[in-house]
Amino acid sequence: MRAALAIAWKDLRIELRSKEMLSAMFLFSLLMVLAFRFGFEGSVDAGDVALSDLGASSLWICFSFAAIVGMHTSFAKEKDRETLEGLLLCPVDRSSIFLGKVLSNMVLVFLVDLLSILFFSLFFAYDFEGNAIAVVGIAFLGTLSLVLVGTLVAAISVNARAREVLLPVLLIPLIAFSVIIPSVSATRKAIAGDISEAVGEIQSILGFAVIFGAVGYLTFDYVLEG
Amino acid sequence: MEKSKLGRIILVGAAILMLLTTYLAVIYVPLPQTSVKSADKILSSVEGSRIRVAGFVSEVYAKDTNIITGSYLFRFSIADFSDYQRYIAAAAGDQLDSQWWTVRPIDVVLRNPPGTFLLSVGGTWDSAGTGTNLSVLAVVVGSGIGPNSNITGFHLRTYSQEDITVGASPGQFGIMTAPVAQKIFYFHMPSAWVSYLAFFVTLVASALYLRTRDIKYDRWAFSSAELGVLFSTIAITTGPVWAKQEWGVYWRWDDTKLVTTFVLWLVYIGYLMLRASMTDTGTRARVGAVYGILGFVTVPMSLLSSRVAPLLQSSHPQVIASSSGSLSPEAGMTIGIAIIAFTLLFITMLIRRVEIAESEEELEELKRTIGGED
């Protein structure tokens, strides 16, 4: 666990110095929310679309794509700068590397989640009122599951050619049913103020988080080899 | 020698059984009972404590037919239905009093053979009365409209929401509205089964590869995944052909089974893409194996979704151990033979595919030797 924390802290410190990924993800989610604002201009003004629907779906599109951008970079950068070998030479378990990467990705992606929620509230002049905590909570849970599976898939795809394209191709089908659909549904309920009805969704997200975490923890050894 | 002989036996067996399946499915199996019998089946389950209501609670139909629009469709209550003849005699689209009882000829809705009809029962219940609002649309399939209707003993009575099982389509309760289209089932369901089997083989072979590092297992994993994609493509394309007839639409996004299967298909296409984008054999096998294991998470989701349906509902018919409408003996036999035929077909194809993979590797090896560079 200490090794994992050290690796996560290393990643975050690099990020704090360069702010490369965070700024990219930040701009990405900003533009995404903006695109939704423009895209739904007419229907939002006319009140044709329920903001809880639009909010839940657009937020999760932001979250997942920002996460993909972030998680891709976390391994691609190591590969390109040839620091991945150094990381692998560390006298620690490969599983610790996995956990470390999950932690650092989680921090970054969750920050972007918070920003996206803020942007949404700003651009759509939407007041989350007391539901903000529930929305953030769901975002946290969903992102946890997303990052657990995403980190593994990012490590898988970093070996391939055309890895930028491959990561979403490999990841989105996996998360579609396990993370995105329940999260969107739970977020919709959270925005509407009845989070207590989203128990099934939360169970589903947590269940898949456990499955993905276990698979990642157990198979990460094999992914980063040689 | 022994091995190739066994392979040939399986091949011949698969071919014969495929022909037999085709014969049985097309000629032998009688068309499934539609109308009254099935309706009775529902109604018999009505007697007792729980009432089953098959309802077209789907916007798709509303959009498709334009008969019902507006959200009030989803606000229905079931009241005393003993006076059914009155409702059956009512003309299509009639609205009676404060409640809406409508009889819609099914051919309008689903372009089905005239004569069968879909009786939808519904109405808004003035919530001021009891404060209860039931969101149900009841559907009963029968033959013929009028006093001589074959529906008998139709009696639906409920006062609380707990008494009602809501279905997304009559198919969920074993009612078929398009009997001929049902024949595609004998090819659809075995293909789906084989694709699950193939992905399971991929899972096992992937795990074995990681354990033993024998490239042989990688060939099995990859070949099996490729065949799995082929068979799930068959399943995913034959399904809509039936669905168009039965449900009136090719695809329903509100159906868990369909969506999870689609996702499963995408996952394994991703697996094939991943394999294609890597050149180093060792890395490809290793990384592919991990994704092969990870991707299998979607298989139980798809396989079980028409039973457990955790978040969304599914109107995809269940086949095995279904609580409602089981298959007739003829159909049961045909589907059994079809499953064996498809499984044998899969085994032969898998053996051949692995052989091809071996030859390909050998060819690469030869090229490298002749080229003199490594």
Side-chain angles (χ1 to χ4, degrees), chain A residues 77-97:
Chain A
K77 212 159 60 182
E78 300 251 20
K79 186 95 176 173
D80 293 345
R81 293 177 188 166
E82 292 174 350
T83 51
L84 197 60
E85 278 84 357
L87 195 62
L88 294 179
L89 281 174
C90 285
V92 295
D93 254 9
R94 293 281 152 80
S95 318
S96 305
I97 301 180

Side-chain angles (χ1 to χ4, degrees), chain A residues 30-219:
Chain A
L30 177 75
L31 292 174
M32 206 75 125
V33 179
L34 209 61
F36 271 102
R37 185 65 189 111
F38 286 133
F40 284 87
E41 174 87 49
S43 13
V44 169
D45 287 348
D48 286 346
V49 56
L51 271 179
S52 60
D53 279 354
L54 181 61
S57 45
S58 58
L59 280 179
W60 274 96
I61 291 176
C62 287
F63 296 172
S64 28
F65 281 92
I68 286 173
V69 172
M71 290 183 298
H72 170 68
T73 326
S74 86
F75 281 100
K77 212 159 60 182
E78 300 251 20
K79 186 95 176 173
D80 293 345
R81 293 177 188 166
E82 292 174 350
T83 51
L84 197 60
E85 278 84 357
L87 195 62
L88 294 179
L89 281 174
C90 285
V92 295
D93 254 9
R94 293 281 152 80
S95 318
S96 305
I97 301 180
F98 174 68
L99 287 183
K101 284 289 180 192
V102 167
L103 278 176
S104 61
N105 282 335
M106 185 69 208
V107 172
L108 294 179
V109 175
F110 188 58
L111 271 176
V112 176
D113 285 1
L114 293 179
L115 287 171
S116 304
I117 295 173
L118 204 72
F119 289 141
F120 183 83
S121 157
L122 207 65
F123 289 167
F124 286 86
Y126 186 77
D127 190 355
F128 284 102
E129 289 163 12
N131 303 322
I133 293 165
V135 172
V136 170
I138 299 289
F140 181 81
L141 284 180
T143 308
L144 181 67
S145 191
L146 182 67
V147 167
L148 279 170
V149 61
T151 304
L152 180 64
V153 177
I156 288 175
S157 67
V158 81
N159 293 300
R161 284 179 312 216
R163 56 190 185 199
E164 295 84 357
V165 189
L166 208 56
L167 177 59
V169 167
L170 296 180
L171 185 60
I172 290 175
L174 277 178
I175 58 174
F177 233 78
S178 50
V179 184
I180 303 291
I181 291 178
S183 300
V184 168
S185 165
T187 307
R188 187 186 301 124
K189 287 176 181 167
I191 294 177
D194 35 34
I195 183 73
S196 52
E197 283 175 26
V199 179
E201 283 89 339
I202 292 171
Q203 279 171 345
S204 169
I205 298 168
L206 283 177
F208 277 108
V210 171
I211 295 175
F212 287 142
V215 174
Y217 191 82
L218 294 173
T219 56

Side-chain angles (χ1 to χ4, degrees), chain B residues 9-322:
Chain B
I9 291 172
I10 298 176
L11 173 66
V12 173
I16 292 172
L17 284 175
M18 283 305 283
L19 287 175
L20 184 62
T21 305
T22 314
Y23 166 76
L24 288 175
V26 176
I27 296 165
Y28 172 67
V29 181
L31 292 179
Q33 273 288 339
T34 52
S35 66
V36 188
K37 202 170 175 189
S38 316
D40 274 346
K41 214 177 260 171
I42 315 180
L43 295 176
S44 59
S45 68
V46 167
E47 303 303 327
S49 54
R50 313 216 107 203
I51 295 174
R52 292 178 161 274
V53 180
F56 279 101
V57 188
S58 166
E59 292 152 297
V60 177
Y61 295 105
K63 275 180 204 151
D64 198 30
T65 61
N66 234 350
I67 289 177
I68 309 163
T69 48
S71 58
Y72 76 82
L73 173 66
F74 301 100
R75 289 251 161 255
F76 281 97
S77 68
I78 303 296
D80 189 359
F81 207 68
S82 48
D83 192 8
Y84 67 94
Q85 290 227 337
R86 191 162 71 102
Y87 311 127
I88 290 168
D94 257 61
Q95 293 187 1
L96 301 173
D97 307 332
S98 60
Q99 293 185 322
W100 291 298
W101 306 107
T102 54
V103 177
R104 289 179 288 150
I106 202 166
D107 50 340
V108 176
V109 185
L110 297 171
R111 290 180 204 90
N112 262 343
T116 48
F117 70 93
L118 194 84
L119 173 65
S120 64
V121 189
T124 50
W125 198 353
D126 191 11
S127 58
T130 52
T132 323
N133 243 327
L134 299 176
S135 311
V136 183
L137 173 65
V139 174
V140 166
V141 178
S143 68
I145 302 177
N148 295 327
S149 160
N150 283 326
I151 297 184
T152 47
F154 194 100
H155 184 83
L156 212 59
R157 188 195 292 264
T158 183
Y159 296 106
S160 79
Q161 206 155 5
E162 281 76 53
D163 288 343
I164 298 171
T165 316
V166 187
S169 80
Q172 202 172 335
F173 298 98
I175 302 172
M176 293 288 173
T177 46
V180 179
Q182 199 263 344
K183 285 187 184 290
I184 208 165
F185 160 76
Y186 303 108
F187 301 93
H188 168 80
M189 187 261 180
S191 311
W193 145 253
V194 164
S195 69
Y196 296 137
L197 178 70
F199 297 141
F200 183 69
V201 171
T202 302
L203 170 78
V204 172
S206 298
L208 281 175
Y209 173 76
L210 290 182
R211 193 147 252 275
T212 60
R213 297 306 165 102
D214 188 341
I215 199 76
K216 172 177 85 183
Y217 292 119
D218 180 54
R219 286 196 285 263
W220 283 96
F222 170 66
S223 308
S224 187
E226 203 176 78
L227 289 174
V229 169
L230 172 71
F231 279 104
S232 56
T233 309
I234 294 176
I236 231 169
T237 44
T238 49
V241 173
W242 170 83
K244 179 66 184 171
Q245 295 300 311
E246 182 73 25
W247 296 341
V249 285
Y250 287 108
W251 190 269
R252 292 177 61 172
W253 287 109
D254 59 348
D255 191 301
T256 329
K257 183 82 173 182
L258 272 60
V259 179
T260 46
T261 310
F262 184 58
V263 163
L264 171 76
W265 186 68
L266 287 177
V267 164
Y268 282 91
I269 286 180
Y271 173 87
L272 296 184
M273 275 186 74
L274 175 69
R275 307 271 319 201
S277 72
M278 284 187 291
T279 38
D280 181 57
T281 326
T283 319
R284 188 173 62 192
R286 198 156 41 74
V287 169
V290 173
Y291 194 73
I293 292 171
L294 185 64
F296 194 76
V297 172
T298 47
V299 173
M301 268 197 307
S302 163
L303 187 62
L304 300 177
S305 55
S306 62
R307 287 156 209 280
V308 288
L311 291 175
L312 303 164
Q313 58 180 350
S314 175
S315 49
H316 187 280
Q318 300 177 20
V319 181
I320 303 157
S322 155

